Amino acid sequence: MNKICPSLEEAVSDVPDGASIMIGGFGDAGVPFEMIDALVAQGAKELTIISNNAGTAQEGIAKLIHLGRVRKIVCSFPRQADSKAFDERYLSGELTLDLVPQGNLAERIRAAGAGIGAFFTPTAYGTLLAEGKETREINGRHYVLEYPISADYAFIKAFKGDALGNLVYRKTARNFGPVMATAAKCTIAQVTEVVEVGALDPETVVTPGIFVKRVVQVGPAHADGPAQH
Amino acid sequence: MNKICPSLEEAVSDVPDGASIMIGGFGDAGVPFEMIDALVAQGAKELTIISNNAGTAQEGIAKLIHLGRVRKIVCSFPRQADSKAFDERYLSGELTLDLVPQGNLAERIRAAGAGIGAFFTPTAYGTLLAEGKETREINGRHYVLEYPISADYAFIKAFKGDALGNLVYRKTARNFGPVMATAAKCTIAQVTEVVEVGALDPETVVTPGIFVKRVVQVGPAHADGPAQH
Amino acid sequence: MSQDFQRLSRREIAIRVAADIPDGSYANLGIGAPTEVADCLPEGVTIILHTENGLLGMGPKPPPGEEDVDLMNAGKQYVTALPGASYFHHADSFAMMRGGHLDYCVLGAYQVSVKGDLANWHTGAKDAIPAVGGAMDLAIGAKSVFVMMDLLTKKGVCKLVERCTSPLTGVACVRRVYTDHATFDITPAGVVAHDLAPGLTHEALETLCGLKLLRKS
Amino acid sequence: MSQDFQRLSRREIAIRVAADIPDGSYANLGIGAPTEVADCLPEGVTIILHTENGLLGMGPKPPPGEEDVDLMNAGKQYVTALPGASYFHHADSFAMMRGGHLDYCVLGAYQVSVKGDLANWHTGAKDAIPAVGGAMDLAIGAKSVFVMMDLLTKKGVCKLVERCTSPLTGVACVRRVYTDHATFDITPAGVVAHDLAPGLTHEALETLCGLKLLRKS
């Protein structure tokens, strides 16, 4: 079993038009920028992107949006200081936005990975973002019924990975990676360092290899930090 | 902030009659035997115990049951080779059993800790253990609605812990500990070794201290293994 | 009605909030003004800070040059991790909030209603690009949710209201509101005003708010 | 009807199951007979084994004297962990199963119906002390659920049935049943019997089962 893929180009080569893709990261931490660049070069369009943010400036998801490759985005916080690409496409109606509270986004992704059919969450009860959704009072508290979010692909960034797909992350760059890895048909991880099978302590593996299809090393391995972009 | 408690006796001293207690462990691994012994000595009765097993021989939960301290047990697998204590009390009607499939038990405990009001699970659909429960078809699959399980106390066993309550576990002794820790009002962890705050790598902490109220060191610290009982 | 009183500075409000968070608490301080509470904790008090992007035990910002691109808070500012910290993924982090494990959460607000409804994610302006982030999760994400805000908008309109006109973030979730004019407790009996700014009378405050306010008994 | 045929041994059944699990698969082998499948994997084939008590990458039992009380499988037998293994807690472990991440799960059974219903947790006997463990989670816990069992009870009653009489573990969850008489595929068109024991005819098998069986096309 060897999930190491020699290049990002090869790793993203089979993404078809119309695919749904989860993209890890919060702010810049944990965003697989290089893999997104490879997808830009690959050319897939009509994409649905599931991610916490919608990118800033011309980087990452903003690049995909700017190029008109994205038809729908599911996220919690698209508006940022320099989210011009998103703002333009959204206001012109070319881009559909499904706005999801951040914790519901994480939990709905987890539900997809965990085989949960739906769950009652207190978050967003009584707000615009729960309009039209089923609600229920349970033990005196009000809840909204939310459904799983899955995807064809998950693009995530981890710190170290092995040929079996086991991953560990680095600090707050962990964020959405571990849950997204469980909820996509094909999870691709770019890692700062590929290590030998057996080098990761089984007690500290965050994403067991079963959730990962492809691992690509990006940039030189640093002993003391992640690749800068 | 110092959650270290000098003795098991003190750690379990406030457990009242009628309390609900989650007890970690699967088979013998991860069972806080010494803490259960302290509870036996403390004398609390009319207890509800939530645990995967109901104990074997005269050890652990079996001891509590044998002494008539337990009025209800919520578990997945009470019947074992030498579960005489359970068998007797159950067949005589002195002990109520709420039988829960193991994965539903884990997920219902997680739900309690995660503030989820209820969730739809495919497990047990169409079986005796889903009788009378609400069901729903979602995207062509059948699900049963299950509710959270919380408790007054969680008694768990971990490998190492610090004064802030951070815990790491050892191999398959991890099992129910991390989820139970999130679902009880008062989680008490017996650990093989208490370490200095800062000694546990923040990347590898399994149970963040927020979930733990008391930490007790049990037995001599081993560098290479857990305490035997 | 006299305006002859001394409004509290943002720092003074933060000091009041900090004084109400007991030693040994777990807290999440929202983006913006609430972040200042961390700097106002009394000497010797240990409050463990949570940031929803996956860190418990958050420390202050790093010295210049020691920023780590993988270590930030929910406001996307560089932070540090204190000894005894732990990292976790987003589902676990929001489970920690939703499950009621944090003792306190301190948030900013556009409006708070007398019933404790919170509006802080969307002004309600048409054509505004919506973004919610963790606001709705934070609103229900602690045993006690505190709001820290100026009482009046720049145009002088009171933000403590009978009923919110801006879109809600959460329903009946706020327990106490710290402002530059006074502190307000949301109680089943009504809103209790206390710790009024020096020189401000209860009656003057009621007039400013356009609300009947209870006195602390 | 002649009984002049050679039933497969438990090991021969395990070899058949093992042959159908492709290299690189993730699998959970239930307690009892299914455990033997691990010993029958062809040379050079890597199957990563999951045990629901929190380990992916389970290895064989340790040499005598090297047992670790903290390292066991779901059957509470001592095991080892192979290089590249990982440990996780029970909620994560069952999420892995329930979420359909395992390719194969191999289970024992009291009865399997022609629709793929599984009965393997409770004989239905009155006064029996019930215990379910992970049975119901395993039944729905893999992309393909295989059953491995003797076709007949000790009293000669067929365990492949029109409708289960024992309490169900899962509904329409079994894809294939490996027995000492033949292998049965549960398909929408009906049950397909193949790989019959040497000397056993399709007609004789139908008589034994009291069922109409399809031939492999």
Side-chain angles (χ1 to χ4, degrees):
Chain A
M1 192 181 283
N2 183 4
K3 299 182 178 182
I4 307 297
C5 195
S7 72
L8 285 171
E9 189 185 358
E10 185 176 324
V12 306
S13 62
D14 61 0
V15 176
D17 289 352
S20 54
I21 309 178
M22 293 177 171
I23 299 182
F26 179 91
D28 281 358
V31 175
F33 285 103
E34 294 81 356
M35 204 181 331
I36 299 172
D37 286 343
L39 184 68
V40 165
Q42 189 259 21
K45 55 186 191 296
E46 302 286 311
L47 302 171
T48 293
I49 300 293
I50 298 132
S51 190
N52 190 62
N53 303 106
T56 53
Q58 300 294 323
E59 292 276 344
I61 297 170
K63 198 182 287 180
L64 284 169
I65 292 172
H66 176 71
L67 294 171
R69 305 284 179 76
V70 183
R71 102 184 131 186
K72 181 179 176 183
I73 184 155
V74 180
C75 73
S76 90
F77 211 82
R79 187 190 64 222
Q80 300 197 179
D82 192 13
S83 54
K84 238 181 75 178
F86 171 83
D87 299 4
E88 283 173 11
R89 297 272 174 180
Y90 174 72
L91 292 173
S92 72
E94 294 163 273
L95 181 62
T96 306
L97 169 66
D98 184 358
L99 192 69
V100 180
Q102 197 170 148
N104 284 357
L105 183 63
E107 188 70 11
R108 290 173 67 183
I109 294 169
R110 179 195 179 267
I116 298 299
F119 60 91
F120 285 102
T121 173
T123 303
Y125 174 80
T127 76
L128 277 179
L129 298 187
E131 263 181 14
K133 297 192 174 190
E134 181 175 340
T135 61
R136 188 179 295 202
E137 187 176 338
I138 301 170
N139 284 330
R141 194 169 195 195
H142 294 278
Y143 296 88
V144 181
L145 187 64
E146 292 285 359
Y147 293 87
I149 298 176
S150 59
D152 299 319
Y153 291 85
F155 286 10
I156 64 174
K157 181 180 170 183
F159 183 35
K160 296 181 184 181
D162 68 21
L164 299 183
N166 293 303
L167 304 176
V168 296
Y169 300 81
R170 193 169 174 280
K171 305 191 177 184
T172 58
R174 186 183 302 199
N175 58 66
F176 280 92
V179 275
M180 288 181 170
T182 70
K185 290 194 199 85
C186 178
T187 293
I188 311 173
Q190 75 169 62
V191 300
T192 305
E193 189 183 350
V194 168
V195 298
E196 288 298 308
V197 169
L200 298 174
D201 179 354
E203 301 281 7
T204 70
V205 168
V206 174
T207 294
I210 191 171
F211 297 118
V212 179
K213 283 274 194 307
R214 300 168 196 161
V215 175
V216 191
Q217 182 165 312
V218 172
H222 291 250
D224 57 350
Q228 302 283 330
H229 72 272
Chain B
M1 192 180 283
N2 184 4
K3 300 182 179 183
I4 307 297
C5 195
S7 72
L8 286 171
E9 189 184 356
E10 184 176 325
V12 305
S13 61
D14 61 0
V15 177
D17 290 352
S20 55
I21 308 178
M22 293 179 171
I23 299 182
F26 179 92
D28 282 358
V31 176
F33 285 103
E34 293 82 356
M35 204 181 328
I36 299 171
D37 286 344
L39 185 67
V40 165
Q42 189 259 20
K45 54 186 190 296
E46 302 285 310
L47 302 171
T48 293
I49 300 293
I50 298 131
S51 190
N52 190 62
N53 303 106
T56 53
Q58 301 294 324
E59 293 276 345
I61 298 171
K63 198 182 287 182
L64 284 170
I65 294 172
H66 176 70
L67 294 171
R69 305 282 179 77
V70 183
R71 100 183 134 189
K72 181 179 175 184
I73 184 154
V74 180
C75 73
S76 89
F77 211 83
R79 187 191 64 223
Q80 300 198 176
D82 191 13
S83 54
K84 238 181 75 178
F86 171 83
D87 299 5
E88 283 173 10
R89 298 273 174 180
Y90 173 72
L91 293 174
S92 72
E94 294 162 275
L95 181 63
T96 306
L97 169 67
D98 184 357
L99 192 70
V100 180
Q102 198 170 146
N104 283 359
L105 183 62
E107 189 70 11
R108 290 172 67 184
I109 294 169
R110 179 196 178 267
I116 298 298
F119 60 91
F120 285 102
T121 172
T123 303
Y125 174 80
T127 75
L128 277 179
L129 298 187
E131 263 182 15
K133 297 191 173 187
E134 181 175 339
T135 61
R136 187 179 297 201
E137 187 175 338
I138 301 169
N139 286 328
R141 195 171 194 194
H142 295 278
Y143 295 88
V144 181
L145 187 65
E146 292 285 357
Y147 293 88
I149 298 176
S150 59
D152 299 319
Y153 290 85
F155 285 12
I156 64 174
K157 181 181 171 183
F159 183 35
K160 296 181 184 181
D162 67 21
L164 299 183
N166 293 302
L167 303 176
V168 296
Y169 300 81
R170 193 168 175 280
K171 305 192 178 185
T172 57
R174 187 183 299 199
N175 58 68
F176 280 92
V179 275
M180 288 181 170
T182 70
K185 290 193 200 86
C186 178
T187 292
I188 311 173
Q190 74 169 62
V191 300
T192 305
E193 190 183 348
V194 168
V195 299
E196 288 298 308
V197 169
L200 297 174
D201 179 354
E203 301 281 7
T204 70
V205 168
V206 174
T207 294
I210 192 171
F211 297 119
V212 178
K213 283 273 194 307
R214 300 169 196 161
V215 175
V216 191
Q217 182 166 311
V218 172
H222 291 248
D224 56 350
Q228 303 284 333
H229 70 271
Chain C
M1 192 65 55
S2 163
Q3 290 275 340
D4 194 19
F5 62 91
Q6 186 67 41
R7 285 169 51 212
L8 273 65
S9 68
R10 180 172 281 194
R11 186 158 190 93
E12 288 169 318
I13 304 174
I15 288 169
R16 284 195 175 175
V17 176
D20 285 352
I21 301 183
D23 188 25
S25 299
Y26 291 89
N28 183 304
L29 305 177
I31 296 171
T35 306
E36 283 190 37
V37 173
D39 303 327
C40 301
L41 295 168
E43 201 59 41
V45 164
T46 303
I47 306 295
I48 296 189
L49 296 179
H50 170 261
T51 180
E52 61 265 34
N53 54 319
L55 168 60
L56 189 70
M58 180 173 66
K61 69 176 179 193
E66 293 184 27
E67 296 85 358
D68 184 325
V69 295
D70 286 340
L71 185 47
M72 57 174 64
N73 66 14
K76 285 141 195 170
Q77 299 163 311
Y78 295 121
V79 294
T80 51
L82 297 175
S86 52
Y87 297 106
F88 29 81
H89 62 60
H90 250 76
D92 279 350
S93 184
F94 281 78
M96 194 181 282
M97 291 161 60
R98 198 190 307 108
H101 302 283
L102 294 172
D103 297 303
Y104 297 92
C105 181
V106 185
L107 300 171
Y110 296 139
Q111 290 181 320
V112 179
S113 85
V114 296
K115 300 289 186 197
D117 294 348
L118 171 68
N120 77 348
W121 74 283
H122 193 307
T123 58
K126 267 190 179 176
D127 283 352
I129 292 174
V132 64
M136 291 185 180
D137 306 280
L138 287 159
I140 55 92
K143 293 189 187 84
S144 294
V145 172
F146 288 170
V147 159
M148 184 178 160
M149 67 180 194
D150 285 338
L151 182 63
L152 308 178
T153 65
K154 281 170 191 160
K155 292 181 180 170
V157 180
C158 185
K159 294 162 70 179
L160 181 66
V161 295
E162 190 65 39
R163 192 166 296 141
C164 294
T165 52
S166 291
L168 292 190
T169 307
V171 175
C173 55
V174 178
R175 189 174 128 188
R176 189 176 288 164
V177 185
Y178 295 85
T179 77
D180 50 349
H181 286 67
T183 301
F184 302 90
D185 287 359
I186 311 289
T187 80
V191 177
V192 178
H194 56 98
D195 285 344
L196 274 59
L200 180 62
T201 66
H202 189 85
E203 291 71 20
L205 183 62
E206 283 188 318
T207 305
L208 272 173
C209 294
L211 294 170
K212 180 77 197 149
L213 300 171
L214 304 175
R215 290 167 202 269
K216 202 154 186 175
S217 57
Chain D
M1 194 64 55
S2 162
Q3 289 275 341
D4 194 18
F5 62 91
Q6 186 67 40
R7 285 168 50 211
L8 274 66
S9 67
R10 179 172 281 194
R11 184 157 192 95
E12 288 169 319
I13 305 174
I15 289 169
R16 284 196 176 174
V17 176
D20 285 353
I21 302 184
D23 189 25
S25 299
Y26 292 89
N28 182 304
L29 305 176
I31 296 170
T35 306
E36 282 191 37
V37 173
D39 303 327
C40 301
L41 295 169
E43 201 60 40
V45 164
T46 302
I47 307 295
I48 296 189
L49 296 179
H50 170 260
T51 180
E52 61 265 33
N53 54 318
L55 167 61
L56 190 69
M58 180 172 66
K61 70 176 179 192
E66 293 184 26
E67 298 85 358
D68 185 324
V69 295
D70 285 341
L71 185 46
M72 57 173 65
N73 66 13
K76 285 141 194 170
Q77 298 163 311
Y78 294 121
V79 295
T80 51
L82 297 176
S86 51
Y87 297 107
F88 29 80
H89 63 59
H90 250 76
D92 280 350
S93 185
F94 281 78
M96 195 182 283
M97 291 162 60
R98 197 190 308 108
H101 302 284
L102 294 172
D103 298 301
Y104 297 92
C105 181
V106 185
L107 300 172
Y110 296 139
Q111 290 180 319
V112 178
S113 85
V114 297
K115 300 291 186 197
D117 294 348
L118 171 68
N120 78 348
W121 74 283
H122 193 307
T123 59
K126 266 190 178 174
D127 283 352
I129 292 174
V132 65
M136 291 185 180
D137 306 279
L138 286 158
I140 56 92
K143 295 190 186 83
S144 295
V145 172
F146 289 171
V147 160
M148 184 179 160
M149 67 179 193
D150 286 338
L151 182 62
L152 309 178
T153 65
K154 281 173 190 158
K155 292 182 179 171
V157 181
C158 184
K159 294 161 70 179
L160 180 66
V161 294
E162 191 65 39
R163 193 166 296 138
C164 294
T165 52
S166 292
L168 292 189
T169 307
V171 176
C173 56
V174 177
R175 189 174 128 190
R176 189 176 289 163
V177 185
Y178 295 84
T179 77
D180 51 349
H181 286 68
T183 301
F184 302 89
D185 287 0
I186 310 291
T187 80
V191 177
V192 179
H194 55 98
D195 285 345
L196 274 59
L200 180 63
T201 66
H202 188 85
E203 292 71 21
L205 183 61
E206 283 189 317
T207 305
L208 272 173
C209 294
L211 294 169
K212 181 75 196 154
L213 302 169
L214 304 174
R215 290 167 203 268
K216 202 154 188 175
S217 57

